[in-house]
Amino acid sequence: MKVNRGDVILLDHPFSDASGSKIRPALVIQSDARNALLTETIVALIITKNIKYVGKDPTQLLIDLATADGKASGLKSNSAVKCGKLFTVHQDHIHKGIGKLSAALMIQINDCLKAALQIP
């Protein structure tokens, strides 16, 4: 499945101990040019309902379903994108797209990625 930067997707999320996996949402963060060129894409692997660190951890962004941008994400509940956990996945392992983050939210994602990677 071809994807674009900002797509919210469902993929088989591997457990950190490699004991299995489960279907979870993730955010495509790789550029559209790289997505068109490669069969792998880079994602922010964890989109979680646990939002207690949003505002305290600069690597996390709240997706608020009370907003139009949040509704367009396709998520079912308020969630945090955790930009500190990045993963490269073959596009064949993506089950489907469920939504998209707006340009405004992706600018905030860029800030979270900069914090996670200590990029000024």
Side-chain angles (χ1 to χ4, degrees), residues 3-111:
V3 293
N4 294 302
R5 188 168 198 277
D7 286 350
V8 179
I9 58 168
L10 293 179
L11 60 83
D12 239 346
H13 175 283
F15 298 142
S16 59
D17 66 1
S19 64
S21 64
K22 93 180 194 184
I23 305 298
R24 295 288 308 267
L27 174 66
V28 176
I29 59 168
Q30 182 167 271
S31 73
D32 289 344
R34 300 296 293 171
N35 285 326
L37 181 65
L38 303 172
T39 57
E40 299 87 17
T41 191
I42 302 169
V43 299
L45 192 54
I46 300 295
I47 296 179
T48 179
K49 291 186 264 185
N50 181 353
I51 60 174
K52 68 182 177 182
Y53 296 108
V54 171
K56 299 173 189 158
D57 180 351
T59 69
Q60 294 190 25
L61 178 69
L62 176 66
I63 306 301
D64 184 355
L65 298 188
T67 67
D69 286 346
K71 288 177 188 161
S73 72
L75 297 168
K76 295 182 186 215
S77 61
N78 289 345
S79 301
V81 179
K82 297 172 80 175
C83 293
K85 189 162 185 180
L86 307 180
F87 188 70
T88 302
V89 61
H90 195 282
Q91 292 175 9
D92 288 346
H93 294 285
I94 297 170
H95 290 267
K96 66 179 182 176
I98 61 170
K100 186 159 185 73
L101 294 192
S102 68
L105 285 177
M106 288 307 293
I107 288 170
Q108 293 177 64
I109 288 291
N110 289 345
D111 292 338

